[in-house]
Amino acid sequence: MSGKERAVAYELTNVCKEFHVKGGKNKTVKALKNVTLTVYRGESFGIVGESGCGKSTLVKTMLGLYHPTSGQVCYDGKDINCGDKSVKKQLHSEVQVVFQDPFASLSPRMRVWEIIAEPLIVKGGMKKKELLSRVEELLQLTGLPASAAMKYPHQFSGGQRQRIAIARALSVMPKCIILDEPVSALDASVRAQVLNLLKDLQAQFDLTYIIIAHDLEVMEHVCDRIGVMYLGQLMELASCDRLFSEPLHPYTQKLFDSILTIDPEAPKKRVEIGDIPSPIDTPKGCPFSTRCAARSEACSAEPILSEVRHDHYAACVQLEKYNRSNITEVI
Ligand code: ADP
Ligand code: MG
């Protein structure tokens, strides 16, 4: 990286989030454990991990919908949970979110224009005529016809609905958009179109993206840097190029092996990683130790995310030993 300081959007420090288990005496789900990361302005930061690893909890904690059990979430240098209302206000006006099923929480009787304009209506200050013309602009930006405005979401395909959700997120001219599994429900061809749209919009409006996916292939096309999560913990964090060319953590390596099988001609290559342990009774020490081929006694110690190479972080106590044979160049 050059000596120039990069502007920071988000800074998370040792963020933990626990949920109480219903009926379980004093049992908790550790959905996030000591998550520390920085998201820079203008980048696409990806979070990848299997279902249940804490991705959506992370999103909700970054949006201020969940209060972390411990640790700190800073947006634009300010702790979003400090109690200062102006900080939350800034967060809400600058950060928008797109979910996998964006209309789940909205009334099916709302027309598309109302859905897109709702954040603006909440903000206030615009007359209906202005709202409609802004909606028209947003529909155009997201590749939808102006006639979509008066229709209902159920009249659209999955890809079009996701475009509507993106138009809604863009309505208030945010600086940052958090996308939680934005294309997971879409077919491969539609998926690529929506990802391309997201890329175009990012360049056009200088947006910061935080993209969540369980599919590494999605990430390769859109992310600058990627964090790999497992059972609430960040296992590896690196640039997209580096992560794809030289994944260091045994878990990331397994994850790559297990997706090298998208090609239906090669289903036998699939590598089983086995079942994920329960997030209620996480293994002692490294959470991946129960499934890791390289485990040793050293893995009963808690791994700490540390810089293994320049701008390449991993949480594995015996990474050096494990990867010695894989590392071909010394940085
Ligand atoms: P992901 O988005 O990666 O699939 P989640 O963040 O939804 O994972 O969930 C992480 C873990 O936290 C899971 O074990 C899930 O069951 C649990 N969890 C998430 N939200 C809640 C909640 N509101 N109450 C209790 N447990 C929760
Ligand atoms: Mg999720």
Side-chain angles (χ1 to χ4, degrees):
M1 207 197 298
S2 72
K4 217 174 127 198
E5 284 275 297
R6 295 179 71 185
V8 170
Y10 270 102
E11 183 117 58
L12 273 62
T13 316
N14 291 323
V15 172
C16 297
K17 179 68 191 171
E18 294 179 7
F19 295 107
H20 289 288
V21 179
K22 273 187 200 135
K25 237 187 184 177
N26 297 326
K27 288 229 166 185
T28 55
V29 175
K30 293 181 180 65
L32 298 176
K33 201 172 163 197
N34 289 328
V35 175
T36 294
L37 57 87
T38 303
V39 179
Y40 297 103
R41 288 267 180 222
E43 77 168 332
S44 285
F45 184 89
I47 299 275
V48 73
E50 292 163 277
S51 182
C53 73
K55 303 182 296 296
S56 293
T57 304
L58 183 66
V59 164
K60 287 177 184 156
T61 310
M62 290 173 95
L63 288 167
L65 300 172
Y66 286 156
H67 199 288
T69 308
S70 60
Q72 202 177 45
V73 179
C74 288
Y75 174 75
D76 200 32
K78 287 151 250 171
D79 179 352
I80 64 167
N81 299 299
C82 68
D84 183 341
K85 279 192 184 140
S86 68
V87 176
K88 275 272 165 81
K89 201 170 164 199
Q90 183 191 358
L91 183 77
H92 291 148
S93 72
E94 293 186 10
V95 182
Q96 289 292 306
V97 63
V98 173
F99 290 109
Q100 178 178 342
D101 184 5
F103 304 116
S105 60
L106 294 174
S107 161
R109 264 171 285 169
M110 275 171 97
R111 288 180 194 268
V112 165
W113 84 265
E114 290 171 290
I115 289 171
I116 295 176
E118 195 184 50
L120 289 169
I121 296 169
V122 171
K123 211 171 164 190
M126 274 172 101
K127 296 201 177 83
K128 186 167 175 190
K129 207 173 158 204
E130 288 171 295
L131 288 171
L132 286 172
S133 97
R134 175 79 181 130
V135 167
E136 203 170 306
E137 214 175 276
L138 290 159
L139 287 170
Q140 200 177 3
L141 269 175
T142 48
L144 290 161
S147 59
M150 292 304 156
K151 294 186 178 169
Y152 295 96
H154 71 259
Q155 295 176 272
F156 295 90
S157 67
Q160 288 169 325
R161 283 155 67 106
Q162 217 47 327
R163 285 174 193 267
I164 296 168
I166 294 165
R168 174 184 159 100
L170 281 176
S171 67
V172 286
M173 291 196 271
K175 290 186 176 174
C176 174
I177 303 185
I178 302 186
L179 302 130
D180 189 354
E181 308 262 9
V183 294
S184 299
L186 307 178
D187 296 340
S189 63
V190 182
R191 185 177 291 182
Q193 288 166 13
V194 173
L195 291 175
N196 285 337
L197 169 69
L198 286 170
K199 269 166 111 169
D200 291 347
L201 293 170
Q202 180 175 39
Q204 201 172 340
F205 298 109
D206 206 10
L207 294 163
T208 304
Y209 281 160
I210 296 160
I211 305 182
I212 311 297
H214 61 262
D215 182 348
L216 272 162
E217 284 208 311
V218 167
M219 296 302 201
E220 193 177 8
H221 298 293
V222 276
C223 294
D224 300 308
R225 290 189 307 137
I226 297 178
V228 180
M229 276 182 80
Y230 182 75
L231 279 176
Q233 296 187 45
L234 214 47
M235 307 303 266
E236 185 158 4
L237 178 57
S239 71
C240 184
D241 293 345
R242 184 48 79 82
L243 197 79
F244 275 80
S245 60
E246 284 179 89
L248 292 181
H249 199 289
Y251 175 61
T252 316
Q253 292 174 350
K254 280 280 182 199
L255 208 57
F256 276 112
D257 288 347
S258 69
I259 59 141
L260 286 176
T261 53
I262 298 297
D263 176 5
E265 297 296 307
K268 291 197 182 76
K269 267 189 175 173
R270 185 160 195 107
V271 174
E272 285 299 329
I273 0 188
D275 291 335
I276 309 178
S278 157
I280 301 169
D281 295 306
T282 44
K284 233 178 129 246
C286 175
F288 188 57
S289 57
T290 53
R291 300 161 84 193
C292 183
R295 70 179 165 268
S296 77
E297 275 174 27
C299 304
S300 58
E302 291 274 339
I304 295 166
L305 193 74
S306 9
E307 194 166 14
V308 181
R309 292 171 168 187
H310 183 59
D311 280 340
H312 192 153
Y313 299 80
C316 173
V317 286
Q318 54 163 346
L319 185 68
E320 208 183 307
K321 186 179 118 207
Y322 183 78
N323 283 285
R324 196 166 290 148
S325 55
N326 297 345
I327 293 174
T328 49
E329 53 170 5
V330 177
I331 307 285

